[in-house]
Amino acid sequence: MVQLVGSLRKELADSLSACRVLVVGAGGIGCELLKNLVLTGFKNIEVIDLDTIDVSNLNRQFLFQKKHVGKSKAQVAKESVLQFCPTANITAYHDSIMNPEYNVEFFRNFMLVMNALDNRAARNHVNRMCLAADIPLIESGTAGYLGQVTVIKKGLTECYECQPKPTQKTFPGCTIRNTPSEPIHCIVWAKYLFNQLFGEEDADQEVSPDTADPELTWNPADTEARATASDQDGDIKRVSTKDWARSTGYDTVKLFNKDCLSESLFKDDIQYLLTMDKLWKKRKAPLPLDWLEIQKLGKILEVTGTGLKDQQVLGVAGYSQLFSRSVETLRSMLADKGDGAELVWDKDDPPAMDFVTAAANLRMHIFSMNMKSRFDIKSMAGNIIPAIATTNAVIAGLIVLEALKILSGDVEQCRTIFLNKQPNPRKKLLVPCALDPPSANCYVCASKPEVTVKLNVHKTLVLALQDKILKEKFGMVAPDVQIEDGKGTILISSEEGETEANNSKFLSDFGIRHGSRLQVDDFLQDYTLLVNVIHCEDLEKDVEFEVVGDAPDKAPTPPSAQEDKNVANGNKDSAEPSTSSKAPAEQDDVLIVDSDEEEPSSSTMDVRMESGGHKRKLHDAETGEASAKRQRLDQPLAADEEDDDIIALD
């Protein structure tokens, strides 16, 4: 007769109480997961999260209360969970999982790791650490009503990076600066403007008209001369946006219109655009706004829409007043921080959100688009898919069920489980699928990881190789690079100061040419990657490098029906994980796609079930080739039946 402890076999219950597990993330999924773990019988739990509690977390992260706002999520989650089970041994870390102290030896202390993260960079890192430590990882994610849980085991299943992930939707700079045609273009512009005025200036986030627009065929000097001819001062001196704004004391009228030194925002920059005749031959020309003319409209504010204040759309006068108030508030905040200080844009910071809402809507009006509510703009600018507490609860429960299989020694019985928004024809919301084997082409978990990168060795700096290719693209934390040239030349060292002098040099300066091979090691991740270099001088405009072959940058094209939901913000901070000290706190249960831009709705991969009981292949957007099938585990459908879409979350 089987002896039970509660609902578990005694052997399994004893295993739960003795094993040591790590939970990465203490947000939406993390709160539900920690509660489930202690109530199931887990006694030794460690949880790590760098975020602090925000008021917006309280509607679903039930371990937190109003009195906890501003405190560490991990620490408060520990204290709250101990009320469910005072005998549990819980250790909380208010820290980034990507810090070097959490190395492979740290991960080897655990029998199981469970991710409750919100971003790709941190997921990639934990994936690699678990592979290096040979520890099972349970990965999860939610996006609104959709959710997914999967198990990753070295040598047995796909790792997190085996399958292609959708590349972020990006927009050419000339579209943002000259010819916006969608609200998201104006929102990106407004966020650029925030950084130009109050944050860290970035040359790639310029907001003034782009005279290098490829659609322009005339002499830009002649155009500028025509643009300035009508100005009373006869000359426009283009200076740093922040320097000019400070010189005016962040005067709203001067920001809005134009002063003798200025580059304007809503009036003269638009008049300048109008002189670029070719841009408007097939487009509706923009209409400049004048601050004084808007003020003549009086104090009557147009408001459309019903419901909550954030869901209402103001008129031009209303947004001009909001722009003025937000600029003054942000100016004061910047002044309080002292000389040389910078502000960081945060969707949960009211003045910052007001600024982007107002600036984006004024630009939408100028370019004849329907203006958006603050709620809509926050959703796009902050890359938010509304979090659903029930989804988090379901996914957290599924994580524990998969954990029980692993601790029972039944890893082969583990499944990838999808939570759908609508029941399929079999009336099922939860659809289990067999785990796929590792991809032979994966540059992370293959026996000898190798990639080929196409770039111009005469134009690519060593710093760009380190930051944009190795860290940003391939997810490394502290790469060391050695050239396979027979001499073992060290190109990049993770030791501070050793190779900094190389950063400003081109790859060709070190003899790197077509066919060169670089050995890259990340000792923190216990990861080695061989990079084959292909020299190319005809890359597309604004493309610095391309990864050749079966790499995760080649992702399925998102369904066109979701294109209007695609979000991009162009903020480099968005590429940083919320568990990193560089990034503002994010909602842990909001599925984020990281890169220079973020696009929650396209972070999912739509896969339709075939009547034969298998998923259709995920077609590669560039080659048309398909990735591996994943077998569905319930009975085959009848010939006239077909399952609803199954969404594979990031």
Side-chain angles (χ1 to χ4, degrees):
M1 183 175 178
V2 178
Q3 187 176 358
L4 298 178
V5 176
S7 60
L8 302 176
R9 299 191 317 275
K10 185 178 185 304
E11 297 84 354
L12 180 56
D14 291 343
S15 178
L16 263 60
S17 63
C19 76
R20 191 175 175 188
V21 299
L22 174 65
V23 175
V24 187
I29 295 176
C31 283
E32 295 283 352
L33 178 58
L34 288 167
K35 175 260 296 179
N36 288 350
L37 290 174
V38 296
L39 293 180
T40 304
F42 288 84
K43 298 294 185 181
N44 301 292
I45 304 169
E46 298 190 23
V47 57
I48 182 168
D49 196 311
L50 182 62
D51 285 354
T52 54
I53 299 163
D54 186 83
V55 173
S56 62
N57 302 145
L58 303 182
N59 71 332
R60 62 196 177 280
Q61 298 176 21
F62 72 100
L63 297 180
F64 310 141
Q65 301 175 30
K66 190 173 182 180
K67 64 182 179 181
H68 297 137
V69 170
K71 296 182 179 180
S72 162
K73 283 187 175 182
Q75 187 61 40
V76 174
K78 167 190 170 179
E79 295 167 359
S80 299
V81 166
L82 285 175
Q83 297 180 43
F84 290 95
C85 182
T87 60
N89 177 26
I90 303 177
T91 304
Y93 303 91
H94 179 59
D95 206 351
S96 166
I97 193 61
M98 298 180 75
N99 278 350
E101 61 193 88
Y102 306 111
N103 54 23
V104 174
E105 291 305 314
F106 172 81
F107 277 80
R108 285 181 178 146
N109 292 324
F110 305 100
M111 288 188 66
L112 179 62
V113 177
M114 289 164 272
N115 266 354
L117 287 163
D118 66 348
N119 64 86
R120 186 176 296 175
R123 283 182 169 126
N124 286 347
H125 180 72
V126 174
N127 173 62
R128 296 179 188 192
M129 300 304 287
C130 288
L131 290 172
D134 198 8
I135 300 298
L137 169 65
I138 302 179
E139 181 58 77
S140 63
T142 64
Y145 293 100
L146 307 175
Q148 175 186 342
V149 174
T150 193
V151 173
I152 296 169
K153 181 69 172 74
K154 182 178 181 179
L156 182 64
T157 74
E158 284 184 338
C159 78
Y160 177 71
E161 297 171 80
C162 275
Q163 286 292 337
K165 300 293 190 297
T167 303
Q168 290 280 231
K169 185 175 181 180
T170 59
F171 305 105
C174 56
T175 299
I176 300 299
R177 296 165 63 182
N178 291 359
T179 55
S181 58
E182 302 174 21
I184 187 62
H185 299 157
C186 299
I187 295 170
V188 171
W189 180 88
K191 291 187 70 177
Y192 284 1
L193 179 62
F194 177 92
N195 287 335
Q196 292 288 330
L197 292 176
F198 308 106
E200 181 180 0
E201 291 186 274
D202 186 333
D204 293 331
Q205 296 185 1
E206 183 57 69
V207 295
S208 60
D210 182 8
T211 57
D213 192 318
E215 289 191 52
L216 305 179
T217 57
W218 55 77
N219 186 334
D222 294 340
T223 303
E224 184 165 354
R226 294 204 308 272
T228 59
S230 61
D231 189 81
Q232 293 179 352
D233 301 295
D235 182 36
I236 293 179
K237 182 182 179 182
R238 297 279 166 180
V239 297
S240 161
T241 303
K242 184 180 291 184
D243 289 344
W244 167 72
R246 283 175 172 165
S247 73
T248 69
Y250 287 92
D251 185 282
T252 303
V253 178
K254 294 176 181 178
L255 285 173
F256 203 96
N257 289 340
K258 181 176 177 302
D259 192 53
C260 60
L261 296 175
S262 80
E263 52 185 53
S264 68
L265 299 175
F266 305 114
K267 183 183 177 183
D268 283 347
D269 270 358
I270 305 304
Q271 291 176 335
Y272 184 85
L273 282 174
L274 289 172
T275 66
M276 300 179 181
D277 311 85
K278 282 210 167 188
L279 294 180
W280 317 115
K281 285 187 175 181
K282 296 183 179 180
R283 296 183 179 93
K284 186 173 182 179
L287 300 172
L289 290 176
D290 185 280
W291 174 264
L292 297 178
E293 291 296 325
I294 292 174
Q295 300 318 299
K296 291 178 183 178
L297 297 176
K299 296 184 179 180
I300 300 176
L301 302 181
E302 318 136 65
V303 177
T304 60
T306 57
L308 299 176
K309 182 179 178 181
D310 278 5
Q311 294 176 327
Q312 296 175 345
V313 178
L314 308 180
V316 175
Y319 284 123
S320 66
Q321 292 181 23
L322 182 63
F323 179 81
S324 177
R325 292 196 303 270
S326 62
V327 167
E328 178 57 30
T329 303
L330 292 168
R331 183 199 65 77
S332 299
M333 292 169 60
L334 193 61
D336 291 343
K337 285 179 171 285
D339 293 340
E342 295 172 344
L343 301 181
V344 176
W345 190 85
D346 186 344
K347 66 182 183 299
D348 293 319
D349 178 25
M353 194 62 238
D354 286 346
F355 177 87
V356 169
T357 299
N361 271 310
L362 290 169
R363 191 162 174 88
M364 286 181 217
H365 178 80
I366 287 169
F367 285 90
S368 303
M369 300 177 216
N370 292 328
M371 294 187 287
K372 298 288 184 180
S373 68
R374 191 178 191 273
F375 178 85
D376 289 336
I377 289 179
K378 184 175 182 179
S379 295
M380 290 187 276
N383 310 105
I384 299 172
I385 298 175
I388 309 295
T390 309
T391 308
N392 296 330
V394 172
I395 293 303
L398 292 171
I399 294 172
V400 174
L401 292 177
E402 296 304 304
L404 294 179
K405 296 177 187 176
I406 293 171
L407 295 174
S408 297
D410 295 328
V411 177
E412 293 79 5
Q413 299 302 314
C414 291
R415 301 291 180 255
T416 294
I417 306 173
F418 299 95
L419 172 62
N420 292 331
K421 185 176 181 179
Q422 300 291 338
N424 64 16
R426 293 183 173 277
K427 312 299 185 203
K428 291 184 178 181
L429 285 173
L430 295 175
V431 181
C433 298
L435 296 171
D436 286 329
S439 168
N441 295 319
C442 178
Y443 62 67
V444 174
C445 68
S447 57
K448 294 182 179 180
E450 185 172 342
V451 292
T452 299
V453 178
K454 184 188 296 185
L455 49 77
N456 189 327
V457 298
H458 303 301
K459 294 183 179 180
T460 302
L461 296 173
V462 172
L463 184 62
L465 171 68
Q466 173 184 280
D467 291 348
K468 295 187 178 181
I469 300 178
L470 300 180
K471 290 186 177 181
E472 187 175 313
K473 177 62 185 174
F474 295 128
M476 296 186 176
V477 177
D480 291 273
V481 181
Q482 177 177 307
I483 306 172
E484 292 192 349
D485 56 1
K487 297 180 288 186
T489 304
I490 303 299
L491 185 65
I492 298 171
S493 172
S494 58
E495 295 295 327
E496 186 174 354
E498 281 194 2
T499 56
E500 284 185 6
N502 296 346
N503 288 347
S504 59
K505 298 180 181 179
F506 295 106
L507 298 185
S508 57
D509 295 337
F510 297 88
I512 297 175
R513 59 185 186 275
H514 184 81
S516 292
R517 291 159 66 90
L518 310 176
Q519 180 175 312
V520 187
D521 295 286
D522 190 319
F523 294 105
L524 173 61
Q525 298 179 342
D526 193 15
Y527 173 51
T528 299
L529 178 67
L530 185 64
V531 178
N532 298 295
V533 176
I534 293 181
H535 173 64
C536 180
E537 297 186 355
D538 57 354
L539 291 170
E540 293 182 14
K541 185 178 182 291
D542 297 328
V543 174
E544 296 184 62
F545 68 93
E546 292 179 0
V547 178
V548 180
D550 189 9
D553 67 324
K554 297 170 60 179
T557 304
S560 59
Q562 294 188 5
E563 284 183 0
D564 60 328
K565 298 181 183 178
N566 290 345
V567 176
N569 62 22
N571 188 338
K572 289 189 176 181
D573 287 341
S574 69
E576 300 293 333
S578 65
T579 49
S580 165
S581 58
K582 294 181 181 179
E586 296 285 335
Q587 315 297 336
D588 274 2
D589 51 344
V590 176
L591 191 62
I592 302 295
V593 174
D594 309 84
S595 154
D596 282 352
E597 289 147 28
E598 297 178 346
E599 169 176 85
S601 60
S602 66
S603 68
T604 61
M605 295 182 291
D606 289 353
V607 187
R608 190 175 294 275
M609 301 291 290
E610 288 194 350
S611 59
H614 292 76
K615 287 184 182 179
R616 289 179 184 164
K617 294 181 179 180
L618 289 171
H619 284 276
D620 187 284
E622 294 179 12
T623 66
E625 296 175 357
S627 59
K629 294 180 180 179
R630 177 173 289 160
Q631 185 176 3
R632 187 183 152 190
L633 298 176
D634 45 11
Q635 296 298 319
L637 296 173
D640 59 346
E641 290 182 329
E642 186 176 280
D643 279 302
D644 287 351
D645 284 353
I646 292 184
I647 309 298
L649 298 185
D650 182 5

